[in-house]
Amino acid sequence: MAKPAFSGRILSLRKTKLGESDLIITALCQDGSLLRGVAKGARKPTSQFASRLEVFSVCDCLIAQGRSLHVFSEARCASPHLALRSEIDRNAAASPVVEALAATAHEDLEIPRLFDMSCAALDRLEGVDIELAPSISAAFLLKLVAMLGFRPSLSECICCAQPVDAASCDAMLAFSFSDGGVVCPHCANAFETTRVDPRVVSWSQALLCSTFEQVEALQMLPESSFAVLHFMQTWLRENLSTNLKSLSFLLSCGLF
C-alpha cells in the first residue's frame, strides 16, 4: 500500500549522508515545523535531488509520509540562493541562520511566520552589501529567539520594570543572561550580572524592532554587528543551551 503523500514548500537546512547514495534532508516547512526526510539516490550525479535540495534552497516538494523519516518524491527549486553557497563570506554570514533553525525548530510544532522570516533573511543576505551581512545575521538571531519566547529585555529592568535607556547611558550596563535582560542600578545587587556595553544593547533593540530592509538601511559597521553577534552567542548558550559552530566560525574567520 502506497504511503500518503503531501506537497509543500521547504527550506533546506542540513544534509546528512545515508548509506551509499542517499541523503537525509533536514528542512523547515512553511508552517514553521521541522521535517526530516530521505532523498533517495541524491548523491548520484544524475539525481534530480543533487542540486535542488542543497542547503539554503527553497523548494516545492512532493513528500511521501513515513513513520520516522519522510521520503522526498519530487523537488522543484523555487529559490536556490546560489550566492550563499558560492561566496565564502556570504556563506559564513548565512550559515548561523540555517544552523539556528535546525537546532531550535521541532517536528510537529508549528511556529507561524518563522518560514517567511527565514526566507526574507536569506534573500537579504544574498543581495546585501557584504559588509552589512553580519547585521542581517544578528537581526535574524534576535528575531528568532523573540519568536521562540526567549526575547531579552533590552529597555526595562527585569526586576522592577523601570525603563533603562541604553542610548543615553554612558556607563556599562548590568545585564543578566540567565535571568533575561538588563538590570537597573537599584536592583543589580540581587542578580548575577555581566557588564555590557550600552551600545550593544541599543543596537540589539534597533535590530529587533526593524525589518531586514530597515536593518540594511541602518548601515551598521561590522564591528558593531559582531558585538551584537557575540552578545547573541552568549544569549543562545545561556537560554537555549545552543552553541552554534557556524556562529563561532563567523566571529573568528576574519572575512569582514
Side-chain angles (χ1 to χ4, degrees):
M1 181 176 177
K3 296 178 180 179
F6 60 93
S7 60
R9 179 163 289 192
I10 60 99
L11 167 62
S12 182
L13 306 177
R14 185 168 61 205
K15 300 190 303 181
T16 307
K17 292 181 181 179
L18 178 67
E20 294 183 357
S21 60
D22 301 341
L23 284 173
I24 296 176
I25 305 296
T26 302
L28 185 72
C29 300
Q30 273 188 298
D31 62 7
S33 65
L34 201 66
L35 178 146
R36 297 177 73 245
V38 177
K40 294 185 176 180
R43 290 158 58 198
K44 294 179 179 179
T46 56
S47 171
Q48 63 167 317
F49 298 124
S51 60
R52 298 178 188 179
L53 290 172
E54 290 285 353
V55 174
F56 305 121
S57 293
V58 178
C59 301
D60 293 313
C61 298
L62 181 64
I63 304 164
Q65 189 171 352
R67 291 184 179 180
S68 58
L69 289 173
H70 303 303
V71 178
F72 287 91
S73 301
E74 297 178 9
R76 181 169 56 86
C77 193
S79 183
H81 292 131
L82 290 174
L84 301 184
R85 293 194 297 275
S86 61
E87 299 177 27
I88 187 171
D89 40 12
R90 294 191 190 276
N91 183 276
S95 291
V97 173
V98 293
E99 186 182 358
L101 288 168
T104 57
H106 296 278
E107 296 181 50
D108 302 319
L109 177 61
E110 298 180 8
I111 306 176
R113 305 187 309 278
L114 179 58
F115 182 87
D116 290 340
M117 182 185 76
S118 303
C119 292
L122 294 177
D123 289 344
R124 187 61 57 176
L125 282 166
E126 188 167 42
V128 73
D129 185 282
I130 195 58
E131 289 191 351
L132 302 179
S135 66
I136 303 296
S137 301
F140 174 83
L141 293 176
L142 279 159
K143 295 175 187 298
L144 175 63
V145 298
M147 192 171 287
L148 295 173
F150 293 90
R151 177 176 180 155
S153 179
L154 301 170
S155 58
E156 60 181 37
C157 176
I158 59 173
C159 182
C160 65
Q162 288 296 312
V164 177
D165 186 4
S168 62
C169 185
D170 296 325
M172 300 290 277
L173 289 175
F175 193 95
S176 176
F177 284 96
S178 58
D179 290 294
V182 292
V183 185
C184 73
H186 299 293
C187 302
N189 291 334
F191 296 87
E192 182 179 346
T193 61
T194 301
R195 295 295 172 180
V196 174
D197 191 323
R199 291 172 295 182
V200 173
V201 176
S202 183
W203 273 119
S204 297
Q205 180 74 3
L207 295 178
L208 187 57
C209 298
S210 302
T211 65
F212 293 118
E213 183 178 2
Q214 291 168 338
V215 170
E216 182 178 356
L218 290 173
Q219 296 288 302
M220 283 181 69
L221 294 175
E223 61 184 36
S224 298
S225 301
F226 276 92
V228 177
L229 286 168
H230 275 290
F231 172 84
M232 287 308 302
Q233 185 180 47
T234 304
W235 182 263
L236 286 164
R237 187 183 300 122
E238 289 289 330
N239 290 274
L240 284 85
S241 300
T242 299
N243 188 29
L244 303 180
K245 293 181 180 180
S246 57
L247 180 54
S248 297
F249 174 79
L250 174 59
L251 292 169
S252 61
C253 65
L255 292 171
F256 297 90

